[in-house]
Amino acid sequence: LDNLGTFKPQGLANIVWAFAKMEASHPPLFEKVAYHIVALDQLRAFKPQELTNIVWAFVKAEASHPAVLDKVADHIVALDHLGTFNPQDLANTVWAFAKMEVSNAPLFEKVADHTVALDNLGTFKPQGLANTVWALATAEVSHPPLFKKVADHIIALDNLGGFNPQTLANTLWAFAKADISHPAIFEKV
C-alpha cells in the first residue's frame, strides 16, 4: 500500500474497516492510512458512511491516531448540515470518539443539535439511540435537549421489544452519568 493516493475514499474506508472487522492487526497499515487522511487538503470527497467506517475501524483496531479523529471531527463540524448522515452514521461516529476518549465538544454538540432537530427518532435503531446518549455521557458533553428527546421517544414506544438488555442498561446508565433526571424513562423500563 505504498500508493494510497490512488485509492478512492470508499477504498480507504473499506480496507481499514475490513482489517478491523476481521481483527487482523496491522499497525503499519493504519499508520499509513492515518498519515494519508491527515495530509489531505479536505475530506469533501468522503461520504458520511466512509468517515464513520474509518473512525470505527481505528477504534476497533485500537489504532490511536488522534490527528485522524481531529481531521474527521473538524470536517463534520464545518458542514452546513448533517442531512446526508443517517442515524447509524451519527451514532457510530460519536460512539467511536467517546470510545477513543476523544471528547470533541463541537462534534458532539453538532450531532446532538442535529438529532434534536429531527422530526422524530423513529429512524434510529435502539442501539443507535443508546450509543448516542452513551457517547455524550461518556465524553461528559452536556446536552439536556438530546436526552429529553431520546427519553420522550422511548416513553412513547408501545413496547421496548427492540431494546436488548445491554441497550437498555447503556441508555439508563447514560442518563444517570449525565445527571439527567427524566423519571418516566426509568418507569417505562
Side-chain angles (χ1 to χ4, degrees):
L1 293 175
D2 293 328
N3 196 1
L4 289 177
T6 62
F7 278 75
K8 292 183 178 176
Q10 184 178 5
L12 287 172
N14 286 351
I15 198 162
V16 292
W17 179 88
F19 270 83
K21 175 80 171 142
M22 298 310 296
E23 298 179 3
S25 178
H26 198 305
L29 166 73
F30 280 86
E31 190 166 320
K32 282 182 180 184
V33 171
Y35 287 127
H36 175 74
I37 291 171
V38 170
L40 293 172
D41 289 337
Q42 44 77 24
L43 300 178
R44 283 192 301 264
F46 287 79
K47 294 177 183 168
Q49 184 177 1
E50 294 160 356
L51 295 170
T52 299
N53 286 354
I54 288 168
V55 296
W56 179 90
F58 274 81
V59 170
K60 291 304 275 187
E62 298 178 358
S64 180
H65 289 279
V68 170
L69 297 178
D70 289 343
K71 181 93 174 197
V72 170
D74 291 347
H75 170 74
I76 293 171
V77 169
L79 294 172
D80 291 335
H81 61 83
L82 299 180
T84 57
F85 284 74
N86 68 39
Q88 186 173 347
D89 294 333
L90 297 168
N92 287 354
T93 298
V94 292
W95 172 87
F97 276 78
K99 191 76 173 160
M100 284 290 260
E101 299 178 358
V102 176
S103 182
N104 186 304
L107 171 69
F108 285 94
E109 290 166 7
K110 179 125 185 177
V111 170
D113 289 344
H114 172 79
T115 304
V116 168
L118 296 172
D119 289 336
N120 68 65
L121 300 181
T123 56
F124 275 80
K125 293 180 180 176
Q127 184 71 48
L129 292 172
N131 283 356
T132 302
V133 294
W134 177 90
L136 267 76
T138 299
E140 298 181 350
V141 175
S142 178
H143 202 289
L146 173 70
F147 280 83
K148 180 180 183 337
K149 181 124 183 175
V150 169
D152 291 346
H153 172 76
I154 292 171
I155 292 162
L157 294 173
D158 290 334
N159 65 64
L160 300 178
F163 287 80
N164 65 38
Q166 188 65 53
T167 302
L168 285 172
N170 288 352
T171 302
L172 296 179
W173 176 90
F175 275 80
K177 171 82 170 140
D179 200 23
I180 302 288
S181 179
H182 202 303
I185 192 172
F186 286 88
E187 291 171 18
K188 178 78 174 194
V189 174

